[in-house]
Amino acid sequence: MTTETAHAYDSNAGRAATPRGAAVPFLSVVIPAFNEVDNVGTLVAEIAAALTDVAGGFEIVVVDDASVDGTAQTLRALGHPALHPVFHRMNCGQSAAVASGFHAARGQWVATLDGDGQNDPADLPAMLERAIAEGADCVTGVRRRRRDNLVRRLSSRVANRFRDWITGDRVTDSGCGVRVVRRTALAEVPVFNGMHRFLPTLLRAQGFSVVEHEVNHRERRTGVSKYGVGNRLWRGIRDCFGVRWYARRAVRAERIEREDG
């Protein structure tokens, strides 16, 4: 962590932060991280700056997926009052890290960002406002201009079309990690490897509303992708058929009549 990053924690950027143990925050930001030692400090500072004006406060839940590069040590050393790190005992994959973050989150709303810094935290306030204004249960991002190489962009385009064809759902950019979700909507989301890519479809299958929102996409500042094309292609194809089965068999989550009408 650089001195500049450390000083960011003492600035007004953190005034809306909700320390662990204090009042329940309005928004929880969940970030899965694996070997992102050079990114996590800057990302936490950026999130704090972006969420300064969020009414009700926020917390930042970074889930270290058993990194071996010092990510865990860096998270333990960070002093931001809203940071709540979670540590896996073994490497379990991105979906498991996201699920651990969901479990730890306390906010009424839960946002997700990837740990590589390519997602822009500045998109979150507008997504949260839209979710509340439109009464949506989930706002999922669509990267307006991908900052990935040609192979990743083409593979993502093919994967999205195949996914929509098999599942019968339509999600423009299922690989986008920027989302804002009502926490109560996450209670019955099934956890499996690949879950995070299918979250909008899983929520719709349970009767929740999902809208799309254009978001910024940035070049990776440092390091390389840990969850790449090669380690998810064939598993992703199999997952599509599993999600299609689930979508046809899913039970609506809001099935109990509310006492207030």
Side-chain angles (χ1 to χ4, degrees), residues 4-24:
E4 180 181 349
T5 301
H7 286 169
Y9 299 133
D10 298 324
S11 71
N12 290 332
R15 68 173 182 266
T18 303
R20 204 70 179 180
V24 175

Side-chain angles (χ1 to χ4, degrees), residues 124-134 180:
L124 295 180
M127 295 176 74
L128 179 60
E129 285 184 17
R130 185 173 177 191
I132 296 170
E134 298 185 15
V180 172

Side-chain angles (χ1 to χ4, degrees), residues 177-191:
V178 189
R179 295 183 177 117
V180 172
V181 188
R182 196 184 307 272
R183 186 166 64 88
T184 53
L186 297 169
E188 296 186 10
V189 170
V191 178

Side-chain angles (χ1 to χ4, degrees), residues 2 10 19 26 32-33 35 137 159 165 176 181 185 201-202 205 232 259:
T2 65
D10 298 324
F26 189 65
N35 289 348
D137 297 300
W165 176 53
C176 183
V181 188
T201 297
L202 296 171
R232 71 187 183 192
E259 292 183 2

